[in-house]
C-alpha cells in the first residue's frame, strides 16, 4: 500500500503514472487519455495531442466525473469535494454540500480552510452563529498557511463579538492586523470589525493600531484612505515616531505614482528625521522621489551625498547603486561606471545588500566598455566573474583577436542548452547552431508519482487546474499536508510531467511555467536540450499566423512577445489593467481599433485571441516602423512606452549590437523584458514548432 494525505490508496495506483506518452492510469471515471507528444522533423518540431488554443471558455465542468472520483480517498478524490459542494450549493442544497464538506479527509487536506469557510458561511446564512462559531473554534489549523490562518481569525472574530465575547473577537481581529496585515481581504475585514467597536465605544485608535489600520487599507486597495490616516497619525505622533510615518507615506505615494506629492512628503520626512537613525533612509527616499518625478540632476546629487556620508555601509552601497542606475539611464557612462564601482566595493563589506546590488562590478565594466575604456572594462569583468561579466569579457577579448574570447563564448554560452540572451548572442556571434534536434521522450515519474498523478488528473480530465496549481505551489513550499518528495523543490521529472499534463488540458500558462521550471531545476542535466522544445509551443497557431501575415510582423517575434506578455493566457489581466494575449491597455487598443476601422465596444473583447493578436501585431508593427525595424527598440517602446526609448539607441547598437542595447534599455524591468523576448524569438526560429495537422 502507498499512503498519501487524505487516505490510503493502492500502491499500484500510486505508482501508475504511465502516462505522458502512453496513457495515464486514471482513477474513477477519468478515462486514459493520450498525452502530448513532440516529434522532431527536418521542418521543425511537430506537436501531437496538445491543446494549444487554451481551454474552451464554454466547456462544462465534468461534474459526473467529479462524483465518481470523490469515492477515492486520495489526493484527487479530496480535491474534487469542494467544487462538488459548490455545485450543490448553487442549486440551493446547502445541507448536502455541508455533509460533503464535513468529510474527515478534507480537514487534513490542502482544502481544509476552503471547506470550513463554506460550512461556516452556510451556518451564518441560516442565522446560526452558534454553529458557525463552534465549527471555526474547534478547527485543527495544523499546517495551515499564514493567509488561511488570518482568514480564519477574520471570520471568527465578528461571530465572537456577536455572541457577546467582544474582547475575544477584538483580540483575534487585532492579531490579523499585527501579524498578517498584508493579507487581503482578511485584514480589511478585521479592520472593519475593530472600527465598528471603536465607534460604538467612541474611542479612537491608539497610534500603533492606527498605523496598522493604514497598512490594512493600503493592502486592500484603499490608497487614499490609507494615506490620509497615516498623515493624521504622523501629525499627532511624537517627534521620535513621526519621521517613520512620513517615510511610509513617501513610499506609498511613489508606488501610487503620485510623484510630486512624494517629493513634498520626502522633504518633510528629511526634516522630521534629522538627528535620528532614519535620517539617511529619508534622504535616500527623497532621492528616489526626485528621480521618479523626473528631477534627475537633483536626485544624483543627493544619491552621491548619501553614498558618501551615510553611517551604514549597506545604505552607502545602495545609494551609489541607484546613483549609477540613474546615470546609466541618462547615458552618463563615466559617472555610471564610478557609481557601480563604489557600490561594488562597499557591498563587499555589507553582505546583506549583495542580493539587491546585483552585478555592480560587471555593470561598471559595461559602462567603461561603452565609452571605449576597454582595458578597464576587461579588468572589471575578470574581477566580477558573473554570467554577464563572462559574456562581455568573451566579446571584448574576441574583438581583440584573443582566442580566449571565442572559447568563453562557445563553452560557457553557445554550447549550453537554452535560449537566454547571452546564449543566443554567443551563437549569433560565432555562427553556431543551437538545438541539436532531440526531443524528450516521456517516462514515468518515479520521484513523486502520487503528486504527479494527482496534478495530471486534476489539470486534465477533471478540469480543475486551480486545484492542480495549488498542489504544485504547496509541494514547492514543503507543505506538510502533502506527501513529501525531495527536500528541495519539485523534481525536474515532476515539472516535466506537470507541463505535459497542462498542455493536454489547454492550460498554457501553467504549462509554460512548469516547462521553465523543469529547465531551471536541472540546468546541468544532459537531457536538458531535449526538453527545451516543450517550453515553446505553437500556441494559437492559426491566429498568430494570420495576425503576423496581415500586419507584416515576424511570426516568431509575435510568439515571443505573447509568451512573455501573457504566457498564452487569453484572459490575462495585469496590475495596470492591460488585457488579453498581447496585454494592451484599453486606450491603446481603442486607438488600434479605430486605425483598423473596427469598433471595440467593450474592453473584454480583448479576451478574444484573434482580436488580441491582431491588435498587438498592429501596434508592434507601428513601433517597428517608428524605430527603423529594430526589434529590441520597438519592444522597449511596447513595454515602457515610446517616450522611454533612449535617444542614443543607435550609438549603443553600433558599439555592441542588439545585446548591448538590451543591457541599457529603459529600466531594469524593461531590459529583462526585451532580453526574454529576443531569446524566445530565437527559440521559435530554431525550433520551428507547429501542430502536427497544421493550424
Amino acid at each position: 500500500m502507498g499512503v498519501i494525505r487524505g487516505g490510503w490508496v493502492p500502491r499500484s495506483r500510486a505508482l501508475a503514472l504511465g502516462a505522458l506518452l502512453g496513457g495515464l492510469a486514471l482513477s474513477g471515471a477519468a478515462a486514459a487519455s493520450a498525452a502530448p507528444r513532440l516529434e522532431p522533423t527536418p521542418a521543425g518540431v511537430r506537436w501531437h495531442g496538445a491543446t494549444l488554443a487554451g481551454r474552451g471558455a464554454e466547456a462544462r465542468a465534468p461534474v459526473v466525473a467529479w462524483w465518481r472520483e470523490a469515492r477515492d480517498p486520495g489526493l484527487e478524490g479530496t480535491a474534487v469535494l469542494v467544487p462538488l459542494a459548490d455545485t450543490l450549493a448553487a442549486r440551493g442544497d446547502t445541507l448536502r454540500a455541508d455533509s460533503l464538506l464535513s468529510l474527515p479527509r478534507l480537514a487534513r487536506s490542502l482544502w481544509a480552510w476552503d471547506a470550513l469557510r463554506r460550512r461556516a458561511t452556510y451556518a451564518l446564512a441560516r442565522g446560526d452563529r452558534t454553529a458557525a462559531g463552534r465549527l471555526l473554534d474547534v478547527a485543527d489549523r495544523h499546517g495551515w498557511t499564514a493567509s488561511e490562518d488570518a482568514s480564519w481569525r477574520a471570520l471568527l472574530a465578528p461571530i465572537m463579538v456577536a455572541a457577546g465575547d467582544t474582547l475575544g473577537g477584538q483580540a483575534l481581529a487585532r492579531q490579523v492586523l499585527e501579524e498578517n496585515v498584508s493579507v487581503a481581504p482578511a485584514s480589511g475585514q478585521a479592520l472593519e470589525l475593530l472600527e465598528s467597536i471603536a465607534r460604538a465605544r467612541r474611542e479612537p485608535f491608539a497610534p500603533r493600531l492606527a498605523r496598522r489600520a493604514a497598512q490594512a487599507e493600503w493592502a486592500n486597495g484603499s490608497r487614499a484612505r490609507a494615506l490620509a490616516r497615516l498623515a493624521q497619525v504622523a501629525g499627532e505622533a511624537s517627534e521620535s515616531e513621526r519621521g517613520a510615518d512620513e517615510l511610509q507615506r513617501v513610499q506609498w505615494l511613489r508606488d501610487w505614482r503620485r510623484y510630486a506629492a512624494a517629493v513634498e512628503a520626502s522633504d518633510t520626512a528629511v526634516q522630521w528625521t534629522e538627528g535620528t537613525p532614519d535620517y539617511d533612509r529619508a534622504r535616500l527616499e527623497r532621492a528616489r522621489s526626485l528621480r521618479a518625478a523626473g528631477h534627475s540632476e537633483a536626485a544624483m546629487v543627493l544619491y552621491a551625498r548619501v553614498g558618501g556620508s551615510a553611517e551604514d555601509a549597506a545604505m552607502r552601497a545602495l545609494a551609489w547603486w541607484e546613483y549609477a542606475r540613474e546615470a546609466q539611464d541618462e547615458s552618463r557612462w563615466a559617472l555610471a561606471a564610478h557609481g557601480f564601482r563604489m557600490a561594488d566595493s562597499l557591498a563587499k563589506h555589507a553582505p546583506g545588500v549583495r542580493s539587491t546590488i546585483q552585478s555592480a562590478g560587471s555593470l561598471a565594466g559595461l559602462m567603461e566598455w561603452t565609452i571605449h575604456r576597454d582595458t578597464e572594462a576587461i579588468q572589471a569583468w575578470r574581477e566580477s566573474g558573473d554570467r554577464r561579466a563572462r559574456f562581455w569579457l568573451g566579446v571584448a577579448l574576441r574583438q581583440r583577436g584573443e582566442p580566449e574570447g571565442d572559447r568563453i563564448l562557445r563553452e560557457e554560452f553557445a554550447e549550453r542548452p537554452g535560449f537566454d540572451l547571452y546564449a543566443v548572442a554567443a551563437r549569433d556571434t560565432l555562427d553556431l547552431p543551437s538545438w541539436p534536434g532531440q526531443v524528450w521522450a516521456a517516462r514515468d515519474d518515479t520521484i513523486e508519482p502520487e503528486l504527479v498523478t494527482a496534478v495530471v488528473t486534476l489539470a486534465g480530465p477533471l478540469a480543475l487546474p486551480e486545484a492542480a496549481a495549488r498542489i504544485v505551489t504547496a509541494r514547492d513550499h514543503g507543505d506538510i499536508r502533502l506527501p513529501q518528495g525531495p527536500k528541495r523543490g519539485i523534481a525536474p521529472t515532476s515539472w516535466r510531467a506537470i507541463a505535459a499534463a497542462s498542455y493536454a488540458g489547454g492550460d498554457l500558462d501553467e504549462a509554460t511555467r512548469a516547462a521553465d521550471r523543469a529547465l531551471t531545476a536541472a540546468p546541468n542535466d544532459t537531457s536538458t536540450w531535449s526538453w527545451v522544445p516543450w517550453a515553446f509551443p505553437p500556441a494559437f497557431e492559426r491566429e498568430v499566423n494570420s495576425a503576423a501575415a496581415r500586419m507584416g510582423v515576424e511570426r516568431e517575434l509575435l510568439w515571443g512577445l505573447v509568451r512573455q506578455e501573457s504566457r498564452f493566457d487569453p484572459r490575462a489581466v495585469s496590475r495596470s489593467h492591460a488585457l488579453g494575449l498581447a496585454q494592451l491597455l484599453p486606450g491603446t487598443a481603442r486607438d488600434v481599433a479605430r486605425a483598423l476601422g473596427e469598433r471595440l465596444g467593450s474592453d473584454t473583447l480583448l479576451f478574444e485571441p484573434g482580436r488580441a493578436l491582431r491588435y498587438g501585431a498592429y501596434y508592434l508593427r507601428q513601433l517597428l516602423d517608428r524605430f527603423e525595424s529594430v526589434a529590441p527598440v520597438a519592444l522597449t517602446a511596447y513595454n515602457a512606452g515610446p517616450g522611454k526609448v533612449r535617444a542614443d539607441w543607435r550609438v549603443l547598437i553600433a558599439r555592441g549590437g542588439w545585446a548591448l542595447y538590451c543591457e541599457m534599455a529603459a529600466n531594469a524591468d524593461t531590459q529583462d523584458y526585451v532580453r526574454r523576448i529576443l531569446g524566445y524569438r530565437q527559440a521559435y526560429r530554431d525550433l520551428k514548432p507547429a501542430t502536427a495537422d497544421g493550424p
Side-chain angles (χ1 to χ4, degrees):
M1 301 287 283
V3 65
I4 62 177
R5 278 300 233 201
W8 292 83
V9 295
R11 183 172 180 81
S12 59
R13 176 172 174 265
L15 296 176
L17 180 60
L20 305 171
L21 292 184
L24 171 65
L26 300 177
S27 61
S33 59
R37 177 173 62 87
L38 273 59
E39 174 191 11
T41 74
V45 180
R46 294 297 172 262
W47 285 63
H48 300 261
T51 302
L52 298 174
R55 293 192 215 98
E58 304 302 321
R60 297 184 63 182
V63 177
V64 173
W66 292 350
W67 278 114
R68 284 194 284 252
E69 187 67 44
R71 300 190 185 110
D72 192 287
L75 199 54
E76 305 97 296
T78 303
V80 302
L81 296 178
V82 171
L84 277 174
D86 287 343
T87 62
L88 292 171
R91 301 172 192 163
D93 192 352
T94 56
L95 289 178
R96 286 184 68 201
D98 184 83
S99 177
L100 199 63
L101 296 172
S102 66
L103 290 174
R105 55 181 150 129
L106 263 175
R108 302 187 301 272
S109 75
L110 294 179
W111 297 273
W113 168 240
D114 300 77
L116 181 60
R117 177 170 56 83
R118 283 164 171 77
R119 296 188 68 201
T121 302
Y122 299 157
L124 290 172
R126 297 193 303 268
D128 193 347
R129 288 196 185 95
T130 301
R134 187 182 305 114
L135 284 168
L136 293 168
D137 191 48
V138 300
D140 178 4
R141 305 187 334 265
H142 182 63
W144 283 17
T145 66
S147 176
E148 290 169 338
D149 202 64
S151 299
W152 171 83
R153 292 175 182 174
L155 184 56
L156 179 57
I159 296 174
M160 294 177 68
V161 171
D165 187 2
T166 302
L167 289 178
Q170 187 178 25
L172 275 183
R174 289 194 65 141
Q175 284 178 356
V176 175
L177 294 195
E178 292 290 344
E179 300 173 17
N180 306 104
V181 71
S182 63
V183 175
S187 60
Q189 295 163 351
L191 175 58
E192 184 179 354
L193 176 65
L194 292 173
E195 285 187 311
S196 68
I197 294 172
R199 282 194 301 269
R201 294 175 174 176
R202 297 183 179 180
E203 296 177 352
F205 283 173
R208 176 178 173 80
L209 184 57
R211 292 185 181 97
R212 305 301 285 181
Q215 292 173 335
E217 287 170 331
W218 185 264
N220 285 272
S222 299
R223 305 276 175 93
R225 289 185 60 187
L227 286 161
R229 189 190 294 268
L230 198 56
Q232 182 180 357
V233 173
E236 299 171 355
S238 65
E239 290 187 5
S240 62
E241 295 179 316
R242 63 182 185 175
D245 293 330
E246 196 66 6
L247 274 172
Q248 180 66 80
R249 288 190 70 246
V250 173
Q251 293 177 8
W252 284 352
L253 285 165
R254 200 168 58 249
D255 289 346
W256 203 18
R257 300 186 178 181
R258 303 301 195 262
Y259 300 134
V263 171
E264 183 179 351
S266 70
D267 185 50
T268 303
V270 169
Q271 295 177 36
W272 286 356
T273 58
E274 190 168 4
T276 75
D278 285 330
Y279 180 60
D280 291 331
R281 181 182 159 211
R283 290 195 297 161
L284 185 62
E285 289 298 332
R286 178 160 175 75
R288 290 168 171 167
S289 300
L290 287 167
R291 183 187 184 193
H295 305 303
S296 176
E297 192 65 37
M300 289 183 63
V301 169
L302 189 49
Y303 279 135
R305 287 177 182 167
V306 177
S309 63
E311 293 185 8
D312 181 56
M315 182 71 71
R316 295 200 302 276
L318 190 57
W320 279 117
W321 168 264
E322 297 192 25
Y323 169 96
R325 297 297 296 196
E326 178 64 8
Q328 177 184 343
D329 288 348
E330 293 294 313
S331 301
R332 303 169 74 172
W333 313 118
L335 293 178
H338 171 70
F340 284 129
R341 283 197 302 271
M342 293 294 294
D344 187 58
S345 176
L346 287 163
K348 292 174 182 176
H349 307 289
V353 81
R354 293 299 294 180
S355 61
T356 302
I357 301 175
Q358 297 176 358
S359 304
S362 62
L363 285 170
L366 202 57
M367 302 304 113
E368 299 279 15
W369 195 69
T370 301
I371 53 179
H372 301 276
R373 296 178 181 171
D374 294 17
T375 301
E376 292 86 344
I378 288 172
Q379 180 181 351
W381 289 329
R382 286 196 184 280
E383 291 175 355
S384 176
D386 61 23
R387 184 170 171 79
R388 171 189 275 129
R390 295 296 294 173
F391 172 78
W392 287 107
L393 177 62
V395 170
L397 293 176
R398 187 173 195 271
Q399 287 192 358
R400 287 188 167 192
E402 299 183 26
E404 183 187 1
D406 278 16
R407 181 185 60 76
I408 290 172
L409 293 176
R410 184 181 65 257
E411 295 179 3
E412 298 182 26
F413 298 94
E415 294 177 350
R416 297 288 179 90
F419 288 96
D420 75 319
L421 175 128
Y422 300 124
V424 169
R427 293 178 200 126
D428 186 49
T429 300
L430 300 175
D431 194 26
L432 292 176
S434 59
W435 174 60
Q438 304 155 349
V439 172
W440 173 71
R443 305 182 282 277
D444 289 0
D445 184 79
T446 59
I447 305 295
E448 298 176 280
E450 299 99 331
L451 180 140
V452 174
T453 300
V455 172
V456 167
T457 308
L458 290 165
L462 294 179
L464 290 171
E466 293 81 5
R470 181 179 294 193
I471 293 172
V472 169
T473 300
R475 173 60 192 84
D476 213 22
H477 288 84
D479 195 301
I480 64 173
R481 295 171 290 182
L482 283 175
Q484 296 302 295
K487 294 297 182 184
R488 294 186 178 181
I490 297 179
T493 53
S494 301
W495 280 121
R496 294 173 178 179
I498 291 164
S502 298
Y503 280 127
D507 189 350
L508 303 179
D509 184 342
E510 288 301 323
T512 53
R513 289 183 192 280
D516 286 345
R517 289 294 299 269
L519 293 172
T520 58
N524 299 317
D525 190 332
T526 56
S527 68
T528 298
W529 256 131
S530 65
W531 173 253
V532 166
W534 287 81
F536 301 99
F540 298 94
E541 185 177 15
R542 183 188 303 275
E543 294 88 345
V544 167
N545 286 344
S546 175
R550 179 176 173 182
M551 303 305 169
V553 172
E554 181 188 7
R555 180 184 66 165
E556 290 75 15
L557 179 60
L558 184 57
W559 254 328
L561 180 142
V562 174
R563 190 191 191 282
Q564 173 62 26
E565 287 284 2
S566 64
R567 282 189 178 271
F568 306 116
D569 179 1
R571 302 191 68 82
V573 180
S574 75
R575 287 179 295 179
S576 60
H577 201 59
L579 305 174
L581 287 171
Q583 288 290 279
L584 290 176
L585 292 169
T588 302
R590 284 190 288 272
D591 291 341
V592 171
R594 282 192 293 270
L596 292 174
E598 299 180 7
R599 182 175 177 273
L600 187 65
S602 168
D603 292 346
T604 58
L605 291 175
L606 290 173
F607 294 145
E608 297 176 0
R611 185 187 298 269
L613 290 167
R614 186 167 67 252
Y615 286 12
Y618 178 88
Y619 184 53
L620 181 58
R621 179 71 265 165
Q622 298 303 108
L623 295 172
L624 286 165
D625 291 344
R626 179 170 174 175
F627 295 106
E628 303 173 15
S629 294
V630 180
V633 184
L635 292 171
T636 299
Y638 195 103
N639 176 254
K644 295 295 185 180
V645 172
R646 312 182 68 100
D648 58 353
W649 62 267
R650 296 177 186 83
V651 175
L652 291 171
I653 290 176
R655 172 62 172 142
W658 55 266
L660 179 60
Y661 172 80
C662 290
E663 300 278 34
M664 304 293 191
N667 54 59
D669 289 341
T670 300
Q671 291 161 17
D672 185 61
Y673 172 91
V674 175
R675 289 189 197 103
R676 288 176 181 272
I677 293 177
L678 293 178
Y680 298 161
R681 177 184 68 176
Q682 193 60 44
Y684 277 103
R685 284 176 172 178
D686 291 357
L687 298 169
K688 301 179 180 62
T691 53
D693 299 325

